[in-house]
Amino acid sequence: MGPPQRWLQALALALLLAGGAARGRRFCRPVNATIAAEKDDCPVCVTVATAICSGYCQTKEPVYKSALAPISQHVCSYRAVRYETLALPGCPPGVDPAFTFPVAMSCHCSLCLMDSSDCTVHSIGPDFCSARGGFA
């Protein structure tokens, strides 16, 4: 293989890899995020920096759709998670102030698991605070 062929292969590979980024797509990976830590009986929310899974997962749309064939779409979800705990301020006596939240260690594209992921199209967002006292 001569130098012109290697150059063409390198160019083709660069265009292929840049294709997703050129369309604004970032592949599935842990990203920094701010979440609201709150409990029903505690008066305020606390913002917490953590890592969540976010990004693009390639999905193929079937050409021929059938009611009998299952349609599955892969989403960016947790592969490995560690949990951290913090104490919420201002909780009344008798209310456990501990708030435990996930920290994404690694992510992958898979079917949505409702027990560990928000699989809705439009969610309220991880930084929404419903506590009557707002953010501390």
Side-chain angles (χ1 to χ4, degrees), residues 1-129:
M1 183 180 334
Q5 288 177 326
R6 286 192 189 131
W7 184 83
L8 286 173
Q9 283 180 333
L11 178 62
L13 181 60
L15 289 173
L16 178 67
L17 293 175
R23 291 186 295 271
R25 296 178 180 157
R26 300 281 181 154
F27 293 107
C28 179
R29 69 191 193 293
V31 297
N32 295 330
T34 300
I35 62 171
E38 67 177 317
K39 280 191 159 185
D40 288 339
D41 295 330
C42 297
V44 295
C45 295
V46 176
T47 57
V48 178
T50 187
I52 63 172
C53 290
S54 180
Y56 172 75
C57 293
Q58 187 173 1
T59 300
K60 293 181 181 180
E61 181 75 18
V63 176
Y64 299 105
K65 296 178 183 168
S66 167
L68 302 176
I71 296 176
S72 61
Q73 181 169 349
H74 287 91
V75 296
C76 184
S77 60
Y78 297 97
R79 174 176 284 161
V81 179
R82 87 167 183 266
Y83 290 91
E84 294 185 6
T85 301
L86 61 87
L88 296 174
C91 295
V95 174
D96 181 11
F99 178 83
T100 302
F101 59 95
V103 179
M105 303 305 293
S106 65
C107 307
H108 70 294
C109 294
S110 68
L111 296 178
C112 188
L113 302 174
M114 294 294 286
D115 60 341
S116 63
S117 298
D118 181 3
C119 305
T120 60
V121 175
H122 296 286
S123 69
I124 57 173
D127 59 347
F128 176 80
C129 176

